[in-house]
Amino acid sequence: MTRNTIGVFDSGFGGLTVLRALLPLFPGSHFLYLGDTARLPYGAKSQATIARYAVESARFLEDKGCQRLVIACNTATALALPDIRDNVGVPVTGVILPGAQAARAAATGEDILVLATDATVSSHAYRDNAASLGLRAHEKACPLLVPLVEEGWIEHPVLYDVLRIYLREALHEMAEQGRVPSAVLLGCTHYPLIADPIRRVLRELDCPATVVDSAEATAAEVAAAAGPQSSLHAATFECFATDSVQKFARLGSLFLQRPIHSVNLLDLGG
Ligand code: DGL
């Protein structure tokens, strides 16, 4: 019998937080994870470039036999989900709608703050998905966070300084409109790794908002779409990266919270 094979894609390591949430929900399945680390960051690129990169990556995973794809990247979901769906023949789930739904469940009022990359913020995908759920999203671009996380600086003083600047600015922008967020949505799959520093800085700034991570919500949505899963065997995974496989194994283990023993190097072109 062929094993259920699911592809998970991100521009880098961040989507491993989604893979981590998926593994226990899919006993017996095999996951292929692709991090397009050579072309990261997507968040600073144009829609056309993001769509081209994301479609190439999705096609690679489909060609490797994946029967379902998870776009574990907010930027690729926000700017390229229709392009990806048009170019592959398997079901595709993105992270934006599950993220907005998780924020809806956590928020106590209508105002939320979304932290994301430049490209995700410019697309207003979160504003629009949140509005459809009765939420008002203030979107804040935090372009320095992905490089800091990719460097593994997840407890570094520089990270805290950068977070203080972004969060103080965002809360000030909202306060000027008389708004206070009751939930802060991590609109980039890299940010769950710095959820604790974000919580600490929010507390410093007297903001009691709940921090919401879309990884669990996305995994639950994929599981609901795939239907009941049962097997006596744990799910397995295999990783592909388009840049240094050593760095991927080292940093990726932090995101996945389990060792990554080997990574396949992949060339998707420029
Ligand atoms: N992980 C991507 C996201 O969720 C951001 C990283 C990048 O800019 O490539 O938006």
Side-chain angles (χ1 to χ4, degrees):
M1 201 182 85
T2 334
R3 286 176 77 194
N4 186 30
T5 307
I6 301 172
V8 181
F9 160 66
D10 181 34
S11 55
F13 309 104
L16 288 166
T17 57
V18 179
L19 178 61
R20 187 172 83 208
L22 284 163
L23 289 170
L25 303 183
F26 283 89
S29 293
H30 186 56
F31 285 86
L32 300 186
Y33 181 92
L34 167 55
D36 191 8
T37 41
R39 304 192 291 194
L40 174 137
Y42 281 20
K45 297 193 168 66
S46 68
Q47 192 278 334
T49 301
I50 293 164
R52 180 162 62 84
Y53 289 175
V55 166
E56 283 169 4
S57 301
R59 280 203 181 127
F60 167 81
L61 290 169
E62 187 183 29
D63 290 347
K64 292 291 275 183
C66 293
Q67 297 129 346
R68 177 175 292 283
L69 299 183
V70 182
I71 309 305
C73 174
N74 289 265
T75 308
T77 303
L79 289 108
L81 195 58
D83 297 86
I84 296 168
R85 288 193 169 134
D86 285 350
N87 281 281
V88 297
V90 296
V92 183
T93 304
V95 283
I96 301 264
L97 184 58
Q101 287 165 337
R104 173 67 284 174
T108 52
E110 66 170 0
D111 283 306
I112 63 165
L113 170 62
V114 180
L115 309 177
T117 65
D118 261 325
T120 299
V121 167
S122 308
S123 76
H124 295 305
Y126 270 113
R127 181 193 65 190
D128 299 343
N129 277 275
S132 73
L133 301 170
L135 291 173
R136 269 200 314 175
H138 182 80
E139 299 160 300
K140 179 72 180 170
C142 306
L144 294 178
L145 296 184
V146 167
L148 288 170
V149 173
E150 290 278 326
E151 264 320 295
W153 285 21
I154 56 177
E155 275 294 341
H156 197 282
V158 169
L159 171 74
Y160 280 88
D161 286 344
V162 169
L163 282 176
R164 281 185 194 103
I165 293 169
Y166 284 144
L167 292 173
R168 195 174 283 128
E169 276 177 11
L171 295 175
H172 180 71
E173 287 154 12
M174 292 186 77
E176 281 187 323
Q177 299 163 21
R179 301 165 62 193
V180 178
S182 61
V184 174
L185 175 57
L186 306 183
C188 171
T189 49
H190 281 65
Y191 301 171
L193 260 277
I194 51 168
D196 281 338
I198 289 172
R199 278 189 201 99
R200 263 177 239 139
V201 173
L202 284 169
R203 271 201 302 274
E204 258 178 52
L205 300 173
D206 285 327
C207 175
T210 307
V211 173
V212 180
D213 159 6
S214 61
E216 301 282 341
T218 302
E221 165 129 349
V222 179
Q229 308 290 315
S230 78
S231 167
L232 294 175
H233 301 285
T236 53
F237 65 91
E238 191 179 348
C239 293
F240 295 83
T242 55
D243 195 12
S244 166
V245 291
Q246 292 82 5
K247 185 176 175 190
F248 190 99
R250 183 169 48 83
L251 280 182
S253 304
L254 278 178
F255 284 74
L256 196 57
Q257 291 182 1
R258 64 174 80 186
I260 297 176
H261 297 294
S262 83
V263 182
N264 304 288
L265 183 62
L266 176 69
D267 184 358
L268 287 174

